Amino acid sequence: MSENWSLPSLKDAKQRRRTEVQFIRKEFELDETYRELGKHRRYIIHTYGCQANERDSETIAGLLEAMGFTSTQHDEKADIILLNTCTIRENAVNKVYGQIGNLKQLKQRNPELLIGICGCMTQEEVVVNKILETYHQVDLIFGTHNIHRLPELVHQTMFTKERTVEVFSKEGDIIENLPAHRFGNYKAWINIMYGCDKFCTYCIVPFTRGKERSRLMEDILSEVNEVLEDGYQEITLLGQNVNAYGKDLKMDDGFADLLEAVALSGIPRIRFTTSHPWDFSEKMFNVIAKYDNIMPFIHLPLQSGNNDILKLMGRRYTIEEYTEIFMKLKSLIPNCSFSTDIIVGFPNESDEQFNDTLKAMDLFQFDNAYTFIFSAREGTPAAKMEDSISMETKKERLRILNDKARHYAYQNNLAYQDKVVKVLVDGLSKKDKSVYSGYTETQKLVNFTGDNIVEGEIIEVKITEPKSYFLLGKAL
Ligand code: SAH
Ligand code: SF4
Ligand code: F3S
């Protein structure tokens, strides 16, 4: 172990300190030492996990480009490969280990290649120890709290030719004005807060992302105006619990106020994710319903339809409370679509308890459901629970749940037959270059044909054939 390393500590990550968060708002300026580091060199970033990671990768790309690196789409052509990782479930982690393994050959052929691992996995002690022991092809490990230190870390790794490990378990300050290379041309991610204080008993995020910290409203609004001036049509406000925005800043109704201010900016489409059912307020309902540029689509994670399981999960709402919020949104927002997250096979979940989740599916009839088998995460309370349910049973439950989810997704889509919807054109479909694709206001994917289609425009499309998870249409 090098004495210069800072390694993650689960104990530190679990603590919530009272220390005030500082806002570092000075203009970004790259130290001269790092400005030429990337000259004639190329980078590639592979991003796993949620939108928080997508947005972090944009900052990482922005920093690398400030250092003179240019991007490439091919690992073989890269001088630096970064894996921005996710540890939400075991299978996410295994994917990354597989990818690190694959990179070994490239490294053997090109010893100058710099391989770096960052993101939520590196915030875990067990992961960093395993990489250090097993994967000698990895040169650089950094965490979610020290992305701004990337230029120095890359410099250090390149010049010492030794491995660099720097992971802070204590979340630091909020650093504004870092450069970003946004990957979307019409849709922008905007962080409104970092971290999570909910501590759902199954979830690792509070340990990998630190305590809940909101950005200042004026900084968020200036980013919104920036993307608006750059021609962006849609923004998504990001946070693990956007509804809790501003609580740490002692704002009374922070998210409602922020959302209203963002709506008044005039950006054509506003989305937000994720809304934890716990923190909804009356004012939030009203703002969401009031503005046409706040899209009629809500991701409202349910996790389970059974109150005892919800309690064990630490979700802090009952199925009755969830129902009230859901029905209220449904009645206030015409044609609103809903998606959700559901976990099956939480430790000792009985058949009856699982049936309550199926009943909830029948009640809410979600447009989309992201479904997962419970995965034990090191350091979380649920990982310590003994579990009497076999993996076979869990897989069978997932299959039954997915069948139901597909059924309702299709039923909801059937209502779109022959309707004319507004679609923001993303471009040619990635899977089928003979059609264009884009999303409706209700976040339905539409594949469509038409003449003189312009990317980034919001156009009218008539739906000709609904499928389970997308719609076919014709531009008008
Ligand atoms: N902050 C968001 C969720 C972020 S994680 C919220 O609370 O709604 C995205 C989803 O992954 C969660 O909603 C949950 O359904 C799932 N998930 C999280 N931890 C998990 C685990 N240990 N096993 C299985 N699924 C998990
Ligand atoms: Fe995880 Fe719960 Fe926080 Fe969502 S609210 S990130 S599920 S701890
Ligand atoms: Fe994964 Fe981290 Fe997001 S664990 S889901 S990338 S916050």
Side-chain angles (χ1 to χ4, degrees):
M1 297 257 157
S2 161
E3 56 194 41
N4 295 327
W5 288 353
S6 43
L7 297 162
S9 138
L10 179 60
K11 199 169 141 251
D12 279 344
K14 282 190 165 175
Q15 281 176 20
R16 286 295 180 267
R17 284 155 291 273
R18 279 172 195 275
T19 43
E20 293 265 320
V21 173
Q22 302 293 318
F23 297 90
I24 314 287
R25 305 172 74 203
K26 61 177 194 286
E27 282 305 305
F28 172 77
E29 197 188 353
L30 189 65
D31 192 283
E32 230 169 286
T33 329
Y34 313 128
R35 280 188 207 154
E36 303 268 299
L37 219 55
K39 211 170 167 185
H40 309 303
R41 291 195 166 102
R42 292 184 216 189
Y43 76 89
I44 184 166
I45 307 169
H46 296 286
T47 308
Y48 305 81
C50 68
Q51 294 96 335
N53 261 15
E54 291 285 338
R55 183 62 188 79
D56 283 349
S57 286
E58 295 181 343
T59 301
I60 293 170
L63 287 166
L64 291 171
E65 287 175 18
M67 295 163 74
F69 286 93
T70 49
S71 73
T72 171
Q73 302 296 317
H74 309 282
D75 284 349
E76 299 74 26
K77 292 188 182 153
D79 300 282
I80 173 166
I81 300 178
L82 293 178
L83 308 187
N84 191 5
T85 63
C86 170
T87 182
I88 198 82
R89 287 168 290 275
E90 185 81 37
N91 53 6
V93 171
N94 289 339
K95 229 193 274 175
V96 171
Y97 282 134
Q99 177 77 358
I100 303 177
N102 292 341
L103 292 175
K104 191 170 178 178
Q105 277 199 335
L106 266 187
K107 180 81 179 178
Q108 279 166 345
R109 268 187 271 145
N110 173 13
E112 294 295 307
L113 172 66
L114 196 158
I115 298 177
I117 315 291
C118 58
C120 288
M121 263 174 78
T122 63
Q123 292 294 135
E124 287 190 279
E125 273 177 55
V126 275
V127 170
V128 171
N129 291 338
K130 178 165 171 175
I131 295 177
L132 289 174
E133 270 166 34
T134 321
Y135 297 99
H136 297 279
Q137 61 271 42
V138 173
D139 307 287
L140 168 63
I141 298 175
F142 62 100
T144 58
H145 301 310
N146 59 340
I147 289 173
H148 60 287
R149 302 233 330 119
L150 186 64
E152 190 171 331
L153 299 176
V154 169
H155 180 258
Q156 188 180 320
T157 318
M158 277 165 88
F159 285 93
T160 61
K161 308 251 178 215
E162 280 175 19
R163 297 173 117 183
T164 301
V165 183
E166 187 184 279
V167 180
F168 304 153
S169 291
K170 296 184 174 69
E171 63 287 318
D173 300 321
I174 290 191
I175 302 175
E176 294 294 344
N177 304 321
L178 290 176
H181 173 148
R182 292 187 195 276
F183 300 139
N185 296 325
Y186 317 107
K187 300 198 255 192
W189 307 115
I190 298 195
N191 282 318
I192 64 168
M193 60 205 298
Y194 304 100
C196 180
D197 283 345
K198 292 282 190 280
F199 291 98
C200 303
T201 58
Y202 51 80
C203 184
I204 190 103
V205 173
F207 311 140
T208 66
R209 292 276 168 179
K211 76 174 174 188
E212 222 159 72
R213 290 150 292 147
S214 301
R215 288 177 73 197
L216 296 176
M217 191 144 138
E218 58 201 279
D219 291 328
I220 298 168
L221 292 177
S222 88
E223 192 176 341
V224 170
N225 282 322
E226 216 172 87
V227 300
L228 189 60
E229 275 167 27
D230 288 344
Y232 281 82
Q233 299 280 352
E234 177 175 311
I235 57 168
T236 304
L237 306 175
L238 295 181
Q240 292 302 338
N241 305 290
V242 289
N243 298 22
Y245 170 77
K247 276 187 162 180
D248 54 328
L249 302 176
K250 312 268 179 296
M251 294 165 88
D252 277 341
D253 227 325
F255 187 56
D257 293 344
L258 175 72
L259 203 52
E260 179 149 48
V262 172
L264 291 170
S265 76
I267 191 126
R269 288 182 162 201
I270 300 159
R271 302 186 189 278
F272 50 87
T273 196
T274 302
S275 286
H276 190 298
W278 181 19
D279 287 309
F280 263 101
S281 74
E282 221 31 60
K283 197 164 171 191
M284 258 177 242
F285 290 122
N286 295 334
V287 172
I288 297 170
K290 181 170 168 191
Y291 292 94
D292 286 344
N293 57 347
I294 300 176
M295 294 295 100
F297 163 69
I298 311 254
H299 181 62
L300 196 64
L302 172 65
Q303 313 299 1
S304 164
N306 176 271
N307 279 339
D308 292 328
I309 293 288
L310 284 172
K311 190 151 194 200
L312 288 171
M313 286 177 162
R315 289 295 286 183
R316 309 190 212 196
Y317 53 79
T318 59
I319 188 72
E320 293 76 20
E321 285 161 340
Y322 183 99
T323 308
E324 197 183 321
I325 294 166
F326 183 96
M327 294 307 170
K328 195 153 189 178
L329 287 165
K330 212 175 163 69
S331 69
L332 283 172
I333 309 164
N335 307 320
C336 190
S337 69
F338 290 88
S339 67
T340 198
D341 292 344
I342 288 177
I343 298 176
V344 299
F346 190 80
N348 307 312
E349 181 189 48
S350 66
D351 283 336
E352 293 74 39
Q353 290 171 324
F354 171 63
N355 268 330
D356 284 343
T357 297
L358 294 179
K359 276 190 227 151
M361 291 293 289
D362 291 332
L363 177 62
F364 302 121
Q365 309 191 355
F366 297 105
D367 292 78
N368 210 347
Y370 300 90
T371 57
F372 313 103
I373 293 179
F374 167 79
S375 168
R377 310 312 294 135
E378 172 111 4
T380 62
K384 295 195 196 86
M385 296 178 189
E386 274 188 43
D387 190 0
S388 58
I389 312 296
S390 73
M391 188 43 92
E392 214 185 331
T393 305
K394 296 184 184 198
K395 284 187 176 159
E396 179 61 9
R397 286 180 188 168
L398 185 70
R399 197 191 54 73
I400 295 169
L401 181 67
N402 283 343
D403 282 348
K404 218 179 228 321
R406 191 178 311 107
H407 168 78
Y408 287 118
Y410 185 57
Q411 288 302 314
N412 282 307
N413 282 356
L414 278 182
Y416 282 75
Q417 177 75 51
D418 297 328
K419 290 252 163 68
V420 175
V421 289
K422 289 200 178 102
V423 172
L424 169 54
V425 183
D426 280 334
L428 287 174
S429 159
K430 283 194 192 94
K431 287 191 187 144
D432 176 0
K433 296 284 175 214
S434 69
V435 293
Y436 290 91
S437 73
Y439 284 84
T440 64
E441 297 195 324
T442 51
Q443 189 71 352
K444 304 264 176 196
L445 174 63
V446 186
N447 287 339
F448 58 95
T449 52
D451 301 321
N452 308 320
I453 305 294
V454 182
E455 276 182 33
E457 282 189 356
I458 294 171
I459 62 166
E460 294 199 318
V461 174
K462 184 166 182 178
I463 301 306
T464 52
E465 192 185 342
K467 304 274 189 188
S468 295
Y469 289 114
F470 62 100
L471 307 167
L472 292 175
K474 238 187 166 111
L476 293 184

